[in-house]
Amino acid sequence: MSVATQALSEPTKPKPGSPQRRGGRRAMKSPYPTWFYLPAGLFYILLFIIPTGASFYFALTRWTLFDIEFIGLDNFAQFFREPALLQGFTNTFIYAFLTSGLKVVIGLLLGVFLTSQILARGYLRSVIFFPVLVSTIGVGVTFEVLLDPFDGLVNQSLAALGITGPGWLTDPAWALFSVAMVDVWKGVGLATLIYIAGIVAIPADYFEAARVDGASSWNNFWHIILPLARPATVTVVILSLIGGLRSFDLIWAMTRGGPGFTSDVIASVIYKQYQAGFYGLSTAGNVVLFLVIAAIVVPLSFWLNRKGTEA
Amino acid sequence: MNAARSRGTWLGLIAIVVTTVVFLVPFAFIVLTASKSQQEASLLQFTLPTQWQFFENLAAVVETRDGIILRAFLNSTILTVASVAIMVVLAAMVGYVLQRRQSRWNPVVNLLVLAGLIIPPAVVPTIFLLQSLGLFKTMPGLIAVHVAFGLSFCILLFRAFVAGIPRELDEAALLDGASPLRLFFSVIFPLLRSVIVTVIVVQAVTVFNDFTYALYFLPGEENATVQLTLYNFQSQGLNQWNLLFMDVLLITVPPLIMYIFFNRQIVAGMTSGAVKG
């Protein structure tokens, strides 16, 4: 048990008296009291575990302000029957895979770029990262204006190039896509930084050896950076998938799920049903979201992590 | 070598231009619109204001509805300080024991920590529970919710950091007769300083920027957080873009200050796990 910690601390000579001391301590009460878990556990169990557990029951009820009635799986049936709700379900996947895919690709490219010898590296890193820290509502408000179909800066600039831009947030075909793009704009800085940390951690010997062998920078990327930055890829994929599947605030700030239901996701359906007083249906949405995330993220992280240790 | 360097310079220059357009223009737009008159701001154009009204707009936003924004800033500050303080102490205790002591609880605790990172909170049951405790629509309720939802991330950081503190230190303190409580609070806790700063900064930004939980658990107009105030302001659909963007600007300033001072800790906290997986 102490092997791991000793490996991390600097190697010390075993003191003559230490085995006995350790044996003696074992017999005493542990100096690491289990009750240290209690205060955190209290918050966590009361406000997280119990509501989550209860949601599996409430999802099976018709629950309004006034009464509560057990109706079995009706809420789930309704969730998958009503086109408006079903659209939220499919949109969740589109949104999550689109944003997470783009964050991986752009983040990796920017990460490679920002670890190479270029001008103003620090400035570029800061500028790309800063949106991560800005309030989502603030970003939503700003881009709602920038993406205005007539007066917005984006379409005005496109018009100057002779292109008629679409109604980014008002055209049903574009709304979800536009919000996803803003999500990538806001989140790609984090993916980039994770990749930078991963790439910097690659031992320089690899690049040295590759240089001796006369490898091109493409070879470097394909055979050294990509495989060895794998932990970074795993982190980016998992983090952005979880974030994307749960995404609510940006969508709500920019489109409120509209026009119609075209940019609704599960999280915004949950809020709409809650606002409308359909508590049971809202909770069923929560359970659906839970199951979707668990069904995607848990197997994926097992698979990604196992492949990582095999390599 | 020289060719590579000049290529780097050129690429750098192109990158500076592109990132400036993509990432800085939106921020410039916020500042410019926040400085315009109401009429000019409503054109939504990316131009310099013909006459700068920055401080007039600032005063107007602050005075709106008897200083509701000041109230919101006070609320957000209390919320951030209280929930981050509680989170740090409780998560450090868990991370420490979790790393130091192997017991049959470990797998359970580890599972719960991971669950907390992945599972979306069940909203309506949580509201129901807060209501029965009398904490719904109150600051203590929202603080408790943030603590519960933020613990997992903090515990992971603390556990990883405690692994780097030599156990010999614990043994020396115990030999000197320190109680378990004293060992943690007087010996270990001070050594966690760098990771504590990281956790504080990252969680402070997260809690301050949070919109979803405030919308669910502290709804309303009067007793709101800054994010909610901005959202309410936007929902009213008034044609006061200059004031709206002044609000956006005000809300962007605290994270900006955090970033300027704690750049390294934020980056360390948010990218932790990238190397280890």
Side-chain angles (χ1 to χ4, degrees), chain A residues 94-110 177 180-185 187-188 191-192 195 236 240:
Chain A
I94 299 173
Y95 189 86
F97 287 116
L98 190 62
T99 51
S100 127
L102 283 173
K103 282 177 193 171
V104 168
V105 174
I106 301 175
L108 176 60
L109 293 179
L110 285 173
F177 176 78
M181 288 307 109
V182 176
D183 190 321
V184 173
W185 178 87
V188 79
T192 307
Y195 270 114
V236 173
S240 56

Side-chain angles (χ1 to χ4, degrees), chain A residues 1-2 4-6 8-9 12 15 21-22 25 30-37 39-41 43-52 54-55 58 63 110 113 117-120 123-146 148 151-153 156 185-186 188 190 193-195 197-198 201 217 229-232 234-235 239 242 246 248-249 252-254 256 267 270-272 274-275 279 282-283 286 289-290 293-294 297-298 305, chain B residues 4 8-9 11-13 15-16 19-20 22-27 29-30 42-46 86 90-91 93-94 96-102 105-106 109 112-113 115-130 133 136 141 144-145 147-149 151-152 155 163-168 170-171 174-175 180-181 183-185 205 209 211-213 215-216 227 230-231 234-235 241 244-245 248 251-252 255-256 259 263 266-267 270-277:
Chain A
M1 136 182 166
S2 57
T5 45
Q6 267 175 0
L8 281 162
S9 59
T12 46
K15 289 174 203 122
R21 208 184 300 155
R22 216 161 258 171
R25 202 198 68 199
S30 165
Y32 310 116
T34 309
W35 70 260
F36 269 33
Y37 292 147
F43 278 96
Y44 191 78
I45 290 172
L46 193 62
L47 289 169
F48 191 76
I49 301 293
I50 291 180
T52 303
S55 69
F58 287 128
W63 181 18
L110 285 173
F113 182 61
Q117 292 297 323
I118 50 151
L119 201 68
Y123 162 82
L124 292 174
R125 286 184 190 182
S126 314
V127 168
I128 292 172
F129 183 69
F130 185 61
V132 174
L133 300 178
V134 177
S135 114
T136 313
I137 299 299
V139 169
V141 168
T142 308
F143 273 91
E144 208 190 339
V145 171
L146 293 178
D148 187 278
D151 302 325
L153 180 62
Q156 294 269 318
W185 178 87
K186 181 168 163 29
V188 79
L190 183 57
L193 275 192
I194 291 173
Y195 270 114
S217 45
R230 193 194 163 83
V234 174
T235 310
L239 274 185
I242 295 176
R246 286 167 64 157
F248 168 73
D249 38 12
W252 195 250
M254 291 181 73
R256 309 272 198 281
I270 293 172
Y271 183 68
K272 282 182 177 172
Y274 160 68
Q275 260 191 327
Y279 299 146
S282 169
T283 309
N286 239 311
L289 184 57
F290 174 15
I293 294 179
V297 173
V298 173
N305 282 323
Chain B
T9 313
L11 277 174
L13 282 176
I16 290 169
T19 48
T20 304
V22 174
F23 288 99
L24 286 190
V25 163
F27 289 110
F29 183 80
I30 296 172
S42 67
L43 299 176
L44 307 181
Q45 283 170 341
F46 186 64
I86 299 173
L90 299 193
M93 289 165 73
V94 174
Y96 162 71
V97 175
L98 193 61
Q99 199 282 323
R100 281 295 199 249
R101 183 177 182 178
Q102 301 294 313
W105 290 102
N106 282 32
V109 177
L112 290 179
V113 167
L117 286 180
I118 295 175
I119 299 174
V123 180
V124 187
T126 311
I127 291 175
F128 183 62
L129 198 114
L130 286 173
L133 293 172
F136 183 51
V145 163
V147 171
F149 298 165
L151 276 173
S152 288
I155 290 173
I165 298 178
R167 232 169 233 269
E168 282 74 15
D170 305 13
E171 284 165 14
L174 289 168
L175 269 186
L181 214 57
L183 165 64
F184 176 69
F185 282 103
V205 171
N209 279 341
F211 165 68
T212 312
Y213 299 146
L215 182 69
Y216 275 121
Q227 311 296 333
L230 176 59
Y231 170 75
Q234 180 208 20
S235 315
W241 295 103
L244 186 67
F245 276 88
V248 174
I251 284 172
T252 312
L256 179 64
Y259 187 46
N263 186 332
I266 291 183
V267 170
M270 290 199 163
T271 58
S272 62
V275 182
K276 212 163 54 76

Side-chain angles (χ1 to χ4, degrees), chain B residues 45-249:
Chain B
Q45 283 170 341
F46 186 64
T47 50
L48 287 177
T50 43
Q51 86 199 102
W52 289 78
Q53 292 204 359
F54 187 84
F55 291 103
E56 289 89 329
N57 289 342
L58 181 62
V61 166
V62 170
E63 279 161 17
T64 309
R65 313 235 332 257
D66 302 327
I68 193 170
I69 186 101
L70 296 180
R71 177 72 198 269
F73 260 101
L74 183 68
N75 275 344
S76 279
T77 311
I78 295 172
L79 173 72
T80 309
V81 171
S83 53
V84 173
I86 299 173
M87 234 185 281
V88 164
V89 177
L90 299 193
M93 289 165 73
V94 174
Y96 162 71
V97 175
L98 193 61
Q99 199 282 323
R100 281 295 199 249
R101 183 177 182 178
Q102 301 294 313
S103 77
R104 60 207 153 93
W105 290 102
N106 282 32
V108 181
V109 177
N110 281 326
L111 186 72
L112 290 179
V113 167
L114 283 187
L117 286 180
I118 295 175
I119 299 174
V123 180
V124 187
T126 311
I127 291 175
F128 183 62
L129 198 114
L130 286 173
Q131 238 161 6
S132 56
L133 293 172
L135 290 176
F136 183 51
K137 290 193 187 183
T138 67
M139 287 290 286
L142 189 58
I143 291 170
V145 163
H146 271 292
V147 171
F149 298 165
L151 276 173
S152 288
F153 172 78
C154 308
I155 290 173
L156 282 184
L157 285 189
F158 280 120
R159 191 185 63 182
F161 193 85
V162 169
I165 298 178
R167 232 169 233 269
E168 282 74 15
L169 221 61
D170 305 13
E171 284 165 14
L174 289 168
L175 269 186
D176 287 346
S179 66
L181 214 57
R182 223 189 124 92
L183 165 64
F184 176 69
F185 282 103
S186 324
V187 179
I188 302 294
F189 200 74
L191 290 175
L192 299 175
R193 206 180 67 188
S194 71
V195 74
I196 288 175
V197 174
T198 303
V199 170
I200 288 178
V201 176
V202 172
Q203 288 298 340
V205 171
T206 311
V207 173
F208 183 83
N209 279 341
D210 164 70
F211 165 68
T212 312
Y213 299 146
L215 182 69
Y216 275 121
F217 305 117
L218 192 73
E221 294 269 313
E222 295 308 317
N223 192 21
T225 66
V226 282
Q227 311 296 333
L228 267 188
T229 319
L230 176 59
Y231 170 75
N232 292 335
F233 212 29
Q234 180 208 20
S235 315
Q236 284 160 6
L238 305 174
N239 197 16
Q240 294 175 313
W241 295 103
N242 52 344
L243 301 190
L244 186 67
F245 276 88
M246 180 56 81
D247 208 359
V248 174
L249 186 62

Side-chain angles (χ1 to χ4, degrees), chain A:
Chain A
M1 136 182 166
S2 57
V3 176
T5 45
Q6 267 175 0
L8 281 162
S9 59
E10 56 224 62
T12 46
K13 270 185 255 165
K15 289 174 203 122
S18 82
Q20 287 95 325
R21 208 184 300 155
R22 216 161 258 171
R25 202 198 68 199
R26 229 12 63 105
M28 289 190 307
K29 244 179 112 191
S30 165
Y32 310 116
T34 309
W35 70 260
F36 269 33
Y37 292 147
L38 265 184
L42 196 70
F43 278 96
Y44 191 78
I45 290 172
L46 193 62
L47 289 169
F48 191 76
I49 301 293
I50 291 180
T52 303
S55 69
F56 282 88
Y57 169 73
F58 287 128
L60 304 175
T61 62
R62 181 177 294 122
W63 181 18
T64 61
L65 268 180
F66 311 105
D67 61 84
I68 185 161
E69 178 196 352
F70 190 83
I71 54 167
L73 293 171
D74 273 13
N75 284 327
F76 294 98
Q78 190 180 356
F79 205 93
F80 290 103
R81 203 173 44 225
E82 271 188 40
L85 302 185
L86 191 59
Q87 174 142 44
F89 184 74
T90 43
N91 279 350
T92 306
F93 290 94
I94 299 173
Y95 189 86
F97 287 116
L98 190 62
T99 51
S100 127
L102 283 173
K103 282 177 193 171
V104 168
V105 174
I106 301 175
L108 176 60
L109 293 179
L110 285 173
V112 172
F113 182 61
L114 292 177
T115 45
S116 62
Q117 292 297 323
I118 50 151
L119 201 68
R121 232 167 30 177
Y123 162 82
L124 292 174
R125 286 184 190 182
S126 314
V127 168
I128 292 172
F129 183 69
F130 185 61
V132 174
L133 300 178
V134 177
S135 114
T136 313
I137 299 299
V139 169
V141 168
T142 308
F143 273 91
E144 208 190 339
V145 171
L146 293 178
L147 294 174
D148 187 278
F150 307 109
D151 302 325
L153 180 62
V154 173
N155 276 1
Q156 294 269 318
S157 314
L158 287 176
L161 299 170
I163 306 168
T164 313
W168 299 103
L169 299 172
T170 49
D171 183 339
W174 281 95
L176 186 71
F177 176 78
S178 305
V179 181
M181 288 307 109
V182 176
D183 190 321
V184 173
W185 178 87
K186 181 168 163 29
V188 79
L190 183 57
T192 307
L193 275 192
I194 291 173
Y195 270 114
I196 289 177
I199 293 171
V200 168
I202 297 174
D205 314 12
Y206 286 97
F207 297 105
E208 204 90 325
R211 204 170 50 85
V212 171
D213 289 349
S216 65
S217 45
W218 172 252
N219 281 332
N220 268 349
F221 173 75
W222 198 248
H223 296 292
I224 299 178
I225 294 178
L226 203 56
L228 288 177
R230 193 194 163 83
T233 308
V234 174
T235 310
V236 173
V237 169
I238 300 288
L239 274 185
S240 56
L241 262 186
I242 295 176
L245 291 168
R246 286 167 64 157
S247 187
F248 168 73
D249 38 12
L250 189 64
I251 294 171
W252 195 250
M254 291 181 73
T255 65
R256 309 272 198 281
F261 304 97
T262 48
S263 63
D264 256 329
V265 291
I266 299 178
S268 68
V269 169
I270 293 172
Y271 183 68
K272 282 182 177 172
Q273 300 304 330
Y274 160 68
Q275 260 191 327
F278 300 124
Y279 299 146
L281 192 57
S282 169
T283 309
N286 239 311
V287 171
V288 170
L289 184 57
F290 174 15
L291 296 178
V292 163
I293 294 179
I296 293 180
V297 173
V298 173
L300 188 70
S301 68
F302 267 112
W303 183 68
L304 286 174
N305 282 323
R306 198 182 49 212
K307 262 187 93 179
T309 47
E310 273 169 13

